[in-house]
């Protein structure tokens, strides 16, 4: 669902595959925790944000990743929150 600058994604995996860290997407959900959420960021700010997280010691799972088939060619990167939730920043 998208409304103005808010988008909500509802995702269900009937047979979850492990992500890049080897975790299955349902691992945190089974513990009653959110496993993923996404926030929009300004395109120009993304490289600075990545460097800022790295300076704070927050692992960045990869650099900017292109999503050519999602959201008109958006780009994103991911970090992990304190409970292991995957936090995505995208434009």
């Amino acid at each position: 669902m998208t409304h103005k600058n808010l988008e909500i994604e509802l995702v269900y995996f009937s047979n979850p595959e492990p992500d890049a860290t080897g975790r299955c997407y349902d691992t945190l959900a089974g513990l009653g925790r959110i496993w993923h959420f996404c926030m929009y960021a300004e395109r120009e700010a993304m490289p600075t944000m990545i460097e800022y997280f790295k300076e704070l010691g927050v692992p960045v799972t990869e650099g900017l990743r292109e999503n050519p088939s999602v959201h008109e060619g958006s780009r994103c990167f991911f970090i992990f929150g304190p409970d292991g939730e995957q936090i995505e920043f995208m434009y």
Side-chain angles (χ1 to χ4, degrees):
M1 174 183 94
T2 302
H3 177 70
K4 295 185 181 180
N5 63 349
L6 172 69
E7 181 170 324
I8 299 173
E9 294 180 343
L10 301 175
V11 180
Y12 173 78
F13 293 98
S14 60
N15 187 15
E17 296 291 328
D19 67 11
T21 66
R23 297 180 316 162
C24 285
Y25 293 126
D26 66 346
T27 304
L28 293 175
L31 299 173
R33 297 182 183 158
I34 294 172
W35 65 268
H36 173 267
F37 66 94
C38 177
M39 295 180 278
Y40 286 105
E42 293 184 20
R43 168 182 253 163
E44 298 79 21
M46 299 285 268
T48 303
M49 292 171 65
I50 291 171
E51 290 307 312
Y52 178 71
F53 284 123
K54 287 180 179 179
E55 288 174 12
L56 291 175
V58 176
V60 177
T61 59
E62 59 185 274
L64 284 174
R65 182 175 78 186
E66 293 190 37
N67 297 318
S69 62
V70 179
H71 302 291
E72 294 83 39
S74 67
R75 296 181 91 185
C76 64
F77 72 93
F78 297 87
I79 63 171
F80 288 103
D83 289 328
E85 67 276 12
Q86 188 181 62
I87 303 171
E88 177 182 1
F89 294 90
M90 72 173 279
Y91 68 80

